[in-house]
Amino acid sequence: MNILVINCGSSSLKYQLIDSSKEEVLAKGLCERIGIDGSCITHQPMGGDKVKTEVDMPDHTVAVKMVIEKLTDASVGVIKSLDEIDAVGHRIVHGGEKFASSVVLNDEVIAAIEECNDLAPLHNPANLIGINSCKEIMPGVPMVGVFDTAFHQTMPQKAYMYGLPYEYYEKHKVRRYGFHGTSHDFVSQRAAEILGKDRKDLKIIVCHLGNGASISAVKNGESIDTSMGLTPLEGLIMGTRSGDIDPAIVTFLAEKEHISADEVLSICNKKSGVLGLSGVSSDFRDLGDAADAGNEKAKMTLEAYAYKVAKYIGAYTAAMNGVDVIAFTAGIGENNAQVRAMIGEYLGYLGTNIDPERNKIRGEEVILSDEGSKVVTMIVPTDEELAIARQTEALVK
Ligand code: ADP
């Protein structure tokens, strides 16, 4: 089955065409600056070179048309016609409490997703635009929605409630939802497979450390807690997001800086995290280079980052009354040996020791901890697109 996986943002659209029978990516690409001057599509057939084309894409429907054009192109295409796309899998950020698993998209489901827009005003409307554009260009092709929040719907109420008046949960659904669920699910499942065990018998902590970052506690195959909350702002220090802060800081800063609460929140989302702390960059490669060159703020930022991850690992070990596996994933988790080693320094009490030689490995499935470790620490590269393709196939087959 050929499955087109779509991840639609407000001005971007990422895609992969995956042959689900072989679990092979046939082509992938990115449309950027949709609705803005200078829009372009970068397309890459597997095994071939990337081709970047500047083309006017006033809206997402035109972008989807461009994607189809590239996929069926005589020279860079990988299929002959639209008929060879059997299904479309859409990444959807927020499914609220309505969606605890992926669903086939029909009008009723789309309306229910629309009702979650309030909870993710930046993301969900863009996801819906992608869905509607695909519906228009590919009528009749079955589509599935895969939610970032779904895997965490197993959290018990004690984990998802904030210490706020209960009425806000009832009236406005203010609670922890968690994100990156597709990745936490995929990585915890794969970690168990690599170890030749059943996920149902394990306590796993997944550290998804990318630009956005979150940690989850996966006990007996179910997410029981995760660091992101109502929105993806809570939890770890991220590329540009602050993660946990005292909520009183919002009005305090608004008053001191003569800006609105909205502006403070925008700073928390876009100008904080390792970018704001270090003043260097949101990218950990730049941060590492600066720290190596003696930049003290960059060093402090890396220390604060690793410390926060270690604190969450401790919290989730307590929440599960133990831990068997700690899995690192996403850009930093998979590639950044320095950060992994810094986190590893806090984990001695768990009886896990990251082997410095193994830790040099990047981007591969590998067990990092040495033979004598009681807790297995490992890298498990995530593959959210493959996970979406698998779930899409399972629902449309
Ligand atoms: P996103 O959340 O945008 O998908 P990623 O998972 O790509 O983010 O993570 C981005 C971070 O991962 C950056 O800080 C970058 O330094 C790091 N990273 C990504 N790829 C590599 C790589 N090949 N080598 C070193 N670091 C990498």
Side-chain angles (χ1 to χ4, degrees):
M1 225 179 200
N2 288 337
I3 295 173
L4 180 61
V5 176
I6 299 270
N7 183 355
C8 205
S10 55
S11 66
S12 71
L13 187 158
K14 282 191 214 155
Y15 63 94
Q16 283 195 8
L17 185 66
I18 296 178
D19 175 351
S20 59
S21 58
K22 296 186 199 134
E23 300 214 324
E24 236 175 52
V25 178
L26 303 175
K28 63 180 179 181
L30 167 68
C31 301
E32 288 171 284
R33 299 180 64 84
I34 300 167
I36 311 172
D37 279 355
S39 49
C40 63
I41 176 167
T42 308
H43 174 83
Q44 185 177 25
M46 272 315 110
D49 290 332
K50 272 187 190 166
V51 244
K52 189 168 175 178
T53 318
E54 289 200 13
V55 55
D56 194 26
M57 290 185 277
D59 57 42
H60 289 75
T61 307
V62 178
V64 173
K65 264 190 203 144
M66 280 310 304
V67 170
I68 304 294
E69 216 166 271
K70 289 290 171 197
L71 289 171
T72 54
D73 184 86
S75 63
V76 294
V78 290
I79 50 173
K80 288 202 184 67
S81 78
L82 200 60
D83 298 343
E84 291 178 49
I85 297 175
D86 300 300
V88 184
H90 289 272
R91 177 187 182 192
I92 302 170
V93 168
H94 220 305
E97 287 187 327
K98 289 199 177 84
F99 299 101
S101 58
S102 304
V103 280
V104 174
L105 296 169
N106 55 32
D107 290 344
E108 198 184 327
V109 169
I110 292 172
I113 297 169
E114 258 160 18
E115 284 170 26
C116 302
N117 279 2
D118 263 6
L119 293 168
L122 295 179
H123 296 102
N124 269 33
N127 300 155
L128 283 161
I129 289 171
I131 291 169
N132 288 324
S133 299
C134 287
K135 229 172 94 178
E136 201 178 318
I137 310 276
M138 293 177 261
V141 178
M143 299 202 289
V144 167
V146 179
F147 301 90
D148 267 27
T149 47
F151 182 60
H152 300 301
Q153 278 296 303
T154 46
M155 275 187 289
Q157 193 172 22
K158 65 183 175 190
Y160 70 69
M161 289 306 287
Y162 292 114
L164 290 168
Y166 195 84
E167 63 180 287
Y168 298 138
Y169 169 60
E170 290 177 312
K171 279 204 295 199
H172 309 299
K173 293 276 173 262
V174 173
R175 52 158 283 181
R176 174 181 310 288
Y177 291 94
F179 299 86
H180 293 139
T182 313
S183 179
H184 288 287
D185 184 15
F186 178 91
V187 169
S188 55
Q189 179 59 36
R190 186 69 201 130
E193 280 164 18
I194 294 167
L195 298 172
K197 297 204 167 140
D198 191 330
R199 184 168 68 162
K200 289 204 167 69
D201 301 326
L202 292 171
K203 296 169 181 171
I204 305 173
I205 294 176
V206 178
C207 307
H208 177 110
L209 311 179
N211 260 325
S214 66
I215 300 201
S216 67
V218 182
K219 189 178 182 187
N220 306 331
E222 292 186 341
S223 172
I224 62 136
D225 206 347
T226 190
S227 58
M228 283 178 167
L230 174 75
T231 76
L233 182 55
E234 194 182 345
L236 300 173
I237 297 173
M238 307 179 215
T240 64
R241 286 176 234 161
S242 62
D244 303 328
I245 59 167
D246 179 342
I249 292 171
V250 176
T251 46
F252 182 86
L253 274 184
E255 202 180 310
K256 295 282 176 199
E257 292 282 317
H258 309 292
I259 53 179
S260 67
D262 267 355
E263 283 169 300
V264 178
L265 265 189
S266 171
I267 291 167
C268 290
N269 268 302
K270 295 181 185 154
K271 294 188 177 164
S272 301
V274 297
L275 169 69
L277 256 186
S278 69
V280 174
S281 169
S282 64
D283 193 298
F284 275 68
R285 285 167 280 204
D286 303 333
L287 209 56
D289 290 346
D292 291 345
N295 183 320
E296 290 301 326
K297 269 197 201 150
K299 279 190 213 168
M300 171 277 292
T301 301
L302 287 170
E303 280 164 15
Y305 183 88
Y307 178 67
K308 190 69 163 280
V309 175
K311 279 212 298 191
Y312 266 100
I313 291 174
Y316 289 167
T317 302
M320 295 193 288
N321 189 24
V323 59
D324 302 306
V325 182
I326 299 169
F328 289 107
T329 196
I332 297 150
E334 291 168 30
N335 296 296
N336 196 312
Q338 183 186 16
V339 168
R340 285 195 305 256
M342 288 172 80
I343 297 166
E345 278 175 29
Y346 292 97
L347 305 180
Y349 73 100
L350 290 173
T352 184
N353 181 37
I354 294 184
D355 179 292
E357 278 308 306
R358 294 182 183 190
N359 194 36
K360 286 180 184 160
I361 296 174
R362 290 165 42 157
E364 282 175 37
E365 289 179 347
V366 62
I367 292 175
L368 299 167
S369 46
D370 57 26
E371 302 303 331
S373 290
K374 280 191 271 180
V375 174
V376 178
T377 302
M378 60 204 294
I379 300 176
V380 181
T382 191
D383 194 337
E384 287 163 290
E385 287 78 13
L386 176 60
I388 292 173
R390 280 181 185 166
Q391 292 180 35
T392 302
E393 180 183 33
L395 283 173
V396 302
K397 228 177 178 176

